[in-house]
Amino acid sequence: MNENLFASFITPSVMGLPIVVTIIMFPSILFPSSERLINNRLHSFQHWLIKLIIKQMMLIHTPKGRTWTLMIVSLIMFIGSTNLLGLLPHTFTPTTQLSMNLSMAIPLWAGAVLLGFRHKLKSSLAHFLPQGTPISLIPMLIIIETISLFIQPMALAVRLTANITAGHLLMHHIGGATLVLMNISPPTATITFIILLLLTVLEFAVALIQAYVFTLLVSLYLHDNT
């Protein structure tokens, strides 16, 4: 049990060269485009899933906000598939890296905010100072609202990183305890193994929920600025 708990979160490399780019591109293989007149079940499920995402995410948006539909759909499918692939044995989950999650959150957040300042300048500035604020609180409130605005992408990235990392670490601990208890107390090892199976099912749900939450918050930021 001397293995480093965070070894599975280290960026993998081959001959000293990082292969994280290849890993990030791999989920796109799971969603191939079909050129057939009649689609198979996989493509039918893929189309149904895309329509469901569009219905849930984009109905509240204005026509200007709906121009982000392709981006929103691609984002949730990428994060969801990456999280699920990371649950396979001997794999690497890119969404456990805060740097990668920030590289997704900051451009999307900045794009939505800049879009708001360009097309809804007065409404965007009004968020910094709610109507009816006492004069004595105006400077402090503007500072607080500015800080809360810039914290949004950090909150997006940290939420995704923390949830995925915590699940992986918990599975690692319970899996290691199960191996140790097999030689000490087989009945206890059986119980911990059942707990591990239930936790694995929970992690599948968390992987999809976190992809949905990340994308939903980006969609809400976009809705507030369009």
Side-chain angles (χ1 to χ4, degrees):
M1 295 296 292
N2 294 325
E3 180 185 356
N4 184 4
L5 292 178
F6 294 92
S8 59
F9 304 117
I10 299 175
T11 304
S13 60
V14 175
M15 299 179 64
L17 299 176
I19 58 173
V20 65
V21 176
T22 306
I23 296 173
I24 292 174
M25 294 175 62
F26 181 74
S28 61
I29 303 175
L30 302 178
F31 304 103
S33 58
S34 176
E35 298 180 356
R36 299 179 180 179
L37 181 62
I38 301 177
N39 294 327
N40 56 26
R41 293 181 180 179
L42 177 61
H43 288 102
S44 298
F45 175 75
Q46 180 179 333
H47 292 162
W48 173 82
L49 184 61
I50 291 174
K51 290 180 180 179
L52 180 63
I53 294 171
I54 294 174
K55 182 179 180 180
Q56 292 289 330
M57 297 283 185
M58 308 308 298
L59 285 181
I60 62 174
H61 289 279
T62 62
K64 190 177 296 295
R66 291 176 184 175
T67 58
W68 284 47
T69 299
L70 181 60
M71 178 71 71
I72 295 296
V73 173
S74 301
L75 180 66
I76 189 173
M77 295 183 73
F78 170 73
I79 297 177
S81 58
T82 302
N83 290 346
L84 290 176
L85 288 174
L87 293 174
L88 298 175
H90 306 289
T91 55
F92 171 73
T93 312
T95 47
T96 57
Q97 306 295 311
L98 182 60
S99 57
M100 175 180 168
N101 295 334
L102 282 174
S103 68
M104 292 189 296
I106 291 177
L108 293 170
W109 166 84
V113 171
L114 292 176
L115 196 64
F117 279 113
R118 180 180 179 183
H119 298 286
K120 297 172 58 177
L121 181 60
K122 292 183 179 180
S123 178
S124 298
L125 293 177
H127 288 293
F128 293 95
L129 189 62
Q131 188 176 3
T133 304
I135 298 178
S136 59
L137 295 179
I138 289 178
M140 182 180 298
L141 194 59
I142 291 178
I143 294 174
I144 293 174
E145 290 296 330
T146 303
I147 293 175
S148 66
L149 177 65
F150 283 97
I151 282 179
Q152 288 177 353
M154 180 65 71
L156 274 177
V158 170
R159 181 186 295 106
L160 179 59
T161 304
N163 281 280
I164 301 301
T165 303
H168 282 56
L169 286 176
L170 190 56
M171 291 176 65
H172 185 279
H173 278 296
I174 297 179
T178 303
L179 291 176
V180 172
L181 290 171
M182 286 179 64
N183 297 324
I184 301 176
S185 175
T188 307
T190 303
I191 295 175
T192 55
F193 180 71
I194 294 174
I195 295 175
L196 180 61
L197 291 179
L198 295 177
L199 181 62
T200 303
V201 175
L202 177 63
E203 281 302 305
F204 272 97
V206 169
L208 297 176
I209 290 172
Q210 289 304 313
Y212 176 77
V213 170
F214 188 98
T215 311
L216 179 62
L217 290 176
V218 171
S219 178
L220 291 177
Y221 295 155
L222 177 64
H223 178 260
D224 292 339
N225 290 280
T226 54

